[in-house]
Amino acid sequence: MSVTTPVTYWAEHAWLPHHNGPVVEPDVLITVGADGRIARVQPDSGPCPPGAVRLDGLLLPGQANAHSHAFHRALRGHVQVGSGTFWTWRDTMYRFAGALDPDSYLELATAVYAEMALAGISAVGEFHYLHHAPGGARYTDPNAMGEALIEAAARAGIRITLLDTCYLSSGFGAEPTRPQLRFSDGDAEAWAVRADALKPREHARIGAAIHSVRAVPAEQLDTVAHWSATRGAPLHVHLSEQTAENDACLAAHGVTPTRLLADHGALGPRTSAVHATHLTDEDVRLLADSATTVCMCPTTERDLADGIGPARRLASAGSPISLGSDSHAVIDPFEEARALELDERLRSRTRGHWTADALLRAGGEDGHASLGWPEAGRIEAGALADFTAITLDSVRTAGPPARLGAEIAVFAASAADVRHLVVGGRHVVRDGVHQLVTDVPGALRSAIGALDC
């Protein structure tokens, strides 16, 4: 994935870390070593020198999509017809899940990850539970579906953390339904054996996930948490996305899902709780006191009518915030960041809950850390050379001075304004064109059309 020889980039403007907080600097020269890391950052370097690759606009760290289900991209449009609930949406999701095999998943995920690259996303956390064939039969390679996702990220030129997901039950000990059989390994020990066979690559790291407290019996939560802890790997979990999950957990165990996870050692600084929409005051305290990251997915949470999670309360209490596109109702990291602030404004009827800098950190440094890439998400010497450039002269971004670049990016820009993406020093998107997947819309159309759902 990385460049094989040093390369120099020149950014017209770049959002750079500073001891008083990030600032937008002009004429920034960035030297990338053959190891794909930034060797030197030189602001105010003067005009673009001969031999440097010019990046006009505003340079930002590559964005981390901390929560993705790649196959959900095929649902776009279908699940926006009519009304319904999260649970009726889930029935449609199962239909698309049942149509995939390793080959078709490779094609679909490659196109989806290429769409992410075009949106400025350099790393994805893939919450992967589509393990086996329909009906639960094992592929010759039990990790064929996961390996397809790892290969898809390589083909699309981005990094991936494969969050291999333990999914065993249809709800608090009930047997999996037929669509869920391909998700289940039978028990957590069998899941751990299969997950052990997954190996990291230069562009890929392996983490774990508990699908939810309803999908992993309480007595088996410890197995997944221990697997993650012994490997120092990220652990992600869907948490309290629906009030029905909270009610069922209280009925089954007498505690909230957050307390159940805490009691089984599943919270902590390597853990990310996804959604965390419906929390008690004690839940907020448990997450914050354990330094658990909370991954908010505003475009999905509003699409599914989940509700607005207490992101500001969680952040104020001490939980880092990351961002994900989840079901890919849209893939736009700037929209996710913007929605975090604007949703809180609607709830509170006040403005200014996050600065633009804080929202860019959620989508950059904190998102990468939640995926086990702590060396990414910053434009500074020693960091991975992963950065994206947005134009400052589109109909959305033109007008304000460049020193307001963070505000322009968060509150005005969209994925359509991304002009460049560099990952490991390698130019993946150049002038708005993906350099590895020649026709991303065509690839999406072909891969989704082939599912015949």
Side-chain angles (χ1 to χ4, degrees), residues 5-10 28-32 48-54 387:
T5 58
V7 60
T8 299
Y9 290 93
W10 180 89
V28 180
L29 204 61
I30 301 171
T31 304
V32 179
C48 182
V53 180
R54 183 184 180 103
F387 34 81

Side-chain angles (χ1 to χ4, degrees), residues 21 32 72 85 96 99 109 122 124 153 164 195-196 241 248 252 256 330 339 348 364 413 435 449-450:
V32 179
H72 288 190
T85 66
F96 280 87
S122 56
V124 61
D164 197 277
D196 269 338
E241 183 178 3
T256 66
V330 297
S348 66
Q435 302 299 289

Side-chain angles (χ1 to χ4, degrees), residues 69-433:
H69 304 288
F71 76 93
H72 288 190
R73 173 61 177 84
L75 279 66
R76 190 183 295 178
H78 296 271
V79 290
Q80 280 76 40
V81 175
S83 59
T85 66
F86 169 85
W87 308 103
T88 56
W89 170 91
R90 191 175 69 160
D91 290 338
T92 304
M93 181 267 287
Y94 286 157
R95 188 170 78 249
F96 280 87
L100 288 162
D101 59 26
D103 290 337
S104 58
Y105 207 8
L106 172 61
E107 296 305 314
L108 175 60
T110 298
V112 175
Y113 295 157
E115 181 182 358
M116 291 183 194
L118 289 172
I121 292 166
S122 56
V124 61
E126 185 61 37
F127 200 101
H128 167 56
Y129 55 82
L130 197 56
H131 301 306
H132 309 298
R138 274 41 176 175
Y139 292 109
T140 302
D141 174 0
N143 283 309
M145 296 293 274
E147 293 292 347
L149 291 164
I150 291 172
E151 174 61 20
R155 293 186 182 189
I158 68 172
R159 302 185 195 278
I160 185 172
T161 298
L162 188 73
L163 298 160
D164 197 277
T165 304
C166 188
Y167 192 138
L168 307 171
S169 169
S170 62
F172 296 97
E175 291 297 314
T177 63
R178 179 165 179 79
Q180 295 168 339
L181 289 173
R182 70 181 309 187
F183 309 159
S184 176
D185 291 294
D187 59 38
E189 292 292 346
W191 165 83
V193 170
R194 183 184 51 72
D196 269 338
L198 289 162
K199 302 303 178 187
R201 324 280 149 85
E202 181 189 5
H203 77 292
R205 293 180 181 172
I206 309 300
I210 295 165
H211 178 272
S212 56
V213 295
R214 70 177 186 271
V216 178
E219 67 275 9
Q220 299 188 57
L221 294 170
D222 306 72
T223 300
V224 186
H226 179 74
W227 188 97
S228 169
T230 57
R231 290 157 181 79
L235 174 64
H236 287 221
V237 55
H238 289 134
L239 178 65
S240 293
E241 183 178 3
Q242 299 291 322
T243 55
E245 176 184 292
N246 291 355
D247 295 341
C249 188
L250 286 164
H253 300 292
V255 296
T256 66
T258 304
R259 169 54 74 180
L260 189 65
L261 290 169
D263 289 347
H264 289 272
L267 300 183
R270 285 178 295 95
T271 299
S272 292
V274 182
H275 303 304
T277 309
H278 304 285
L279 301 180
T280 66
D281 290 343
E282 183 196 34
D283 293 339
V284 171
R285 179 181 60 78
L286 287 169
L287 291 166
D289 287 354
S290 61
T292 296
T293 294
V294 175
C295 180
M296 308 302 290
C297 306
T299 64
T300 287
E301 289 148 6
R302 71 190 184 196
D303 183 59
L304 295 179
D306 287 343
I308 301 171
R312 184 61 264 171
R313 286 175 57 209
L314 286 158
S316 296
S319 283
I321 304 296
S322 64
L323 297 168
S325 64
D326 192 4
S327 69
H328 313 313
V330 297
I331 294 176
D332 188 334
F334 308 105
E335 177 63 19
E336 302 294 349
R338 177 162 54 243
L340 198 65
E341 167 68 21
L342 298 187
D343 286 355
E344 193 65 32
R345 291 182 185 185
L346 287 174
R347 189 226 302 273
S348 66
R349 292 188 291 175
T350 60
R351 304 175 74 217
H353 303 278
W354 280 274
T355 65
D357 290 333
L359 293 169
L360 288 175
R361 179 186 174 101
E365 187 171 357
D366 288 343
H368 283 94
S370 79
L371 297 178
W373 296 92
E375 68 273 48
R378 303 175 302 283
I379 302 175
E380 66 179 16
L384 292 172
D386 298 356
F387 34 81
T388 186
I390 63 169
T391 182
L392 294 179
D393 59 6
S394 77
V395 293
R396 289 166 294 279
T397 61
R403 62 181 172 80
L404 298 176
E407 288 74 16
I408 297 166
V410 170
F411 293 107
S414 77
D417 295 309
V418 171
R419 291 294 176 266
H420 301 277
L421 178 71
V422 173
V423 182
R426 181 187 188 189
H427 217 146
V428 176
V429 174
R430 186 188 294 264
D431 296 320
V433 177

